[in-house]
Amino acid sequence: MRGWAAVTLVLTLGGCGAAVPEARAVPSPSATSAVAPELTGCDGQRVTYTVPDGLKQGAALTRVPGLPGRYAVVGQSYGSGDDTLWVGVVCGLRGAQQFATVIGRAYLTTHAGRPALRWRTSGNVRHYMWLDRPGLAVYVAATPDLADRMSSVAATVVAR
């Protein structure tokens, strides 16, 4: 029965024997592709990621709340109105044991099989950081209204 309904719909909309318009070639978009932002830190290691649509680049990130100042941080903020998302790299965290204890009240979890930490700070800002490899941790944080975008940003991170 469904097959006849589809045939009837096609014939009705197609004009039942009327000439079908010829398909026109639509030019493809230019070969240039969007370049993902890139952070360089930790002995020249590069990290690329994707920024959600609608966010504008803001101030550089040089510190991670709760992280002792002895670790170098390179990052960027992105925002829309009062909402902010931060992406960065943290240098100097060498092993999983050191990493697991670096933030006082963080919850230990995993990201793609690697050790990760989750914690919150004042204003209900959510923080997420994982040890990508010895010496290189990746950091993503957001204010409450952008917190749902953190996992999509984290999924696009590629460290080289």
Side-chain angles (χ1 to χ4, degrees):
M1 194 62 140
R2 283 187 180 165
W4 286 110
V7 169
T8 304
L9 181 62
V10 168
L11 292 175
T12 302
L13 295 176
C16 202
V20 177
E22 192 173 309
R24 294 185 317 171
V26 177
S28 62
S30 65
T32 59
S33 61
V35 176
E38 182 175 272
L39 299 172
T40 303
C42 308
D43 300 325
Q45 295 179 10
R46 297 177 314 194
V47 173
T48 59
Y49 54 95
T50 301
V51 178
D53 290 336
L55 300 181
K56 295 181 181 175
Q57 186 172 335
L61 174 69
T62 58
R63 185 176 102 45
V64 170
L67 186 69
R70 66 180 173 265
Y71 298 104
V73 177
V74 177
Q76 190 63 53
S77 67
Y78 300 91
S80 174
D82 291 336
D83 301 318
T84 307
L85 179 120
W86 296 270
V87 180
V89 294
V90 178
C91 304
L93 294 163
R94 295 288 169 208
Q97 187 173 10
Q98 176 192 19
F99 178 78
T101 60
V102 74
I103 303 288
R105 295 189 325 216
Y107 298 98
L108 185 61
T109 184
T110 62
H111 175 81
R114 298 177 181 113
L117 298 172
R118 288 189 181 277
W119 72 99
R120 291 185 184 192
T121 56
S122 62
N124 208 19
V125 175
R126 291 163 176 98
H127 305 267
Y128 185 56
M129 182 170 65
W130 67 92
L131 188 62
D132 193 76
R133 63 180 69 125
L136 175 71
V138 179
Y139 171 76
V140 179
T143 54
D145 287 343
L146 293 177
D148 61 332
R149 298 187 183 185
M150 288 174 58
S151 59
S152 64
V153 171
T156 67
V157 170
V158 176
R160 291 178 249 144

